[in-house]
Amino acid sequence: MNPTHWLLVGALTAALTWPAAGQAATSVQDLGGLYAGGSSSALALSQSGQAIGIAMRDGDFQTINAVWSPSGSISALPDCCSAFLAMPAAINRSGVAVGSHQATRDHWAAVKWAADGSAQYLPSLGSYGLARAFAINDAGQAVGSSVTDSFAQRAVRWNPDGSVTQLGEMGSPDPGYLAFHEAHGISNKGVVVGTALVGSAFRAFSWKGGLFTDLGLGNATHVNDKGLIAGLAPGRIPVVWKKGTMRYLPGRDGGKRAYGHEVLGINNLGDMVGFGPSPGVGVHSIAVLWRGGAAITLGHYPGGTHSVATGINDTGMIVGYGNLVDGGPMRALRWTVTSTSIQVELAPVH
């Protein structure tokens, strides 16, 4: 595979206003792909405005990892891994990214991309090489999970030099269950969040300096530098934790609980992005922004029927993917929010 580095393919912008529980004036831009007529998806965004994801060729589905510059131009990354594609999960301000490579159906390995695009596997805890990386901070610390030779899954942190450290255990599973801890997010202050199997239930945690804090039932997936944590309560309902208190996020339909929604990105201003369920027949997921206590519909590309927002930085830049026409291939998208209104109180968890 030796694709030509193309500049932005068909970058089109359309300004639309989308009514929702919160109101926003937004514009959405097609960031293009590496191949004419092919698909692409922006999967993570840095504070410097660089995005990373994948691009696929139409016809033979040849797929490669790609990066988008802050201006929107796209470049291919060098070949990373054999067998299946490596999926980026996060990218930091310096352009260093992490993700996971599925070598076989049951084998995942953690991958790190340097700022020049070259990739390497991150070490695992066991001889099987099983690991996944989900987040990286601007200091180059990455987090995820790795499986030991006894098949215990442990939350880990990879240091900038590539060395791996176990975070320890918040608790043990009941007899008959395999040990399970997984780290999903890390802030620039070194706070790690994730989930652990304690007894027979999955419990969200935060971790710093070797100490776990039990956040209650659920899964913590994102944390910003102000200590705001986002994740899922039982039933996969999006929630936030602030100073240890958990509250439900509202739905884009005005509901006090965002059933069917998911948070995929957070910034240091407290904004979060992700997606919500179909707003109508023939329409699939739709990109959502949570700002000021309101769920704001970002919308689809004009003519599209599916969109997902995957990242937001402190400048308010939002990236993700969606189709341009009903039934068409996915394309990397970038949203700009020019104004918002309406604030609501988050519903407390009882």
Side-chain angles (χ1 to χ4, degrees):
M1 185 188 311
N2 184 24
T4 302
H5 292 194
W6 288 12
L7 291 179
L8 188 63
V9 177
L12 301 173
T13 303
L16 295 171
T17 299
W18 299 87
Q23 298 291 324
T26 69
S27 63
V28 58
Q29 178 183 358
D30 170 21
L31 290 179
L34 285 168
Y35 311 103
S39 65
S40 61
S41 298
L43 302 177
L45 178 69
S46 75
Q47 288 290 6
S48 60
Q50 188 178 21
I52 190 168
I54 59 173
M56 181 182 294
R57 186 161 60 203
D58 189 27
D60 63 1
F61 304 109
Q62 188 89 358
T63 307
I64 194 168
N65 294 118
V67 293
W68 288 264
S69 72
S71 66
S73 61
I74 183 173
S75 300
L77 291 175
D79 286 347
C80 164
C81 313
S82 60
F84 298 101
L85 183 72
M87 298 296 287
I91 184 169
N92 71 11
R93 187 184 294 273
S94 301
V96 179
V98 294
S100 303
H101 170 230
Q102 189 178 14
T104 68
R105 187 180 66 178
D106 301 316
H107 189 285
W108 288 89
V111 178
K112 177 181 177 180
W113 288 266
D116 65 3
S118 60
Q120 66 181 87
Y121 288 116
L122 291 170
S124 63
L125 297 178
S127 59
Y128 299 105
L130 298 171
R132 298 183 74 177
F134 296 105
I136 187 170
N137 65 15
D138 289 339
Q141 297 172 314
V143 295
S145 64
S146 184
V147 177
T148 69
D149 285 343
S150 62
F151 295 102
Q153 187 157 319
R154 304 295 189 190
V156 297
R157 183 185 65 198
W158 288 276
N159 301 310
D161 64 3
S163 59
V164 61
T165 302
Q166 288 193 54
L167 299 187
E169 294 183 75
M170 186 172 73
S172 300
D174 284 345
Y177 291 89
L178 290 172
F180 181 94
H181 284 65
E182 190 164 73
H184 290 139
I186 184 170
S187 74
N188 288 322
K189 295 184 176 180
V191 177
V192 179
V193 297
T195 188
L197 180 61
V198 180
S200 60
F202 287 97
R203 304 188 68 86
F205 69 76
S206 65
W207 176 98
K208 186 176 183 181
L211 299 177
F212 283 89
T213 299
D214 187 339
L215 299 174
L217 296 175
N219 179 12
T221 57
H222 298 80
V223 58
N224 71 9
D225 294 343
K226 303 288 184 64
L228 181 67
I229 299 170
L232 295 167
R236 296 190 61 81
I237 306 171
V239 293
V240 292
W241 289 267
K242 188 173 184 179
K243 296 181 179 179
T245 300
M246 185 168 74
R247 292 182 179 273
Y248 291 109
L249 287 175
R252 57 166 299 280
D253 58 357
K256 291 185 178 297
R257 300 186 186 187
Y259 294 104
H261 297 59
E262 190 166 345
V263 173
L264 298 177
I266 189 171
N267 69 11
N268 290 318
L269 304 178
D271 297 333
M272 291 161 281
V273 294
F275 64 90
S278 166
V281 176
V283 179
H284 308 294
S285 297
I286 191 165
V288 173
L289 163 69
W290 285 271
R291 173 175 289 175
I296 298 163
T297 301
L298 293 172
H300 305 113
Y301 192 88
T305 56
H306 177 84
S307 62
V308 173
T310 58
I312 182 170
N313 64 17
D314 290 352
T315 70
M317 182 186 293
I318 300 169
V319 299
Y321 56 89
N323 57 12
L324 306 185
V325 296
D326 187 18
M330 293 297 140
R331 292 294 284 266
L333 300 176
R334 182 165 67 193
W335 289 265
T336 301
V337 179
T338 56
S339 65
T340 60
S341 64
I342 301 180
Q343 295 190 1
V344 298
E345 292 296 323
L346 303 185
V349 175
H350 299 292

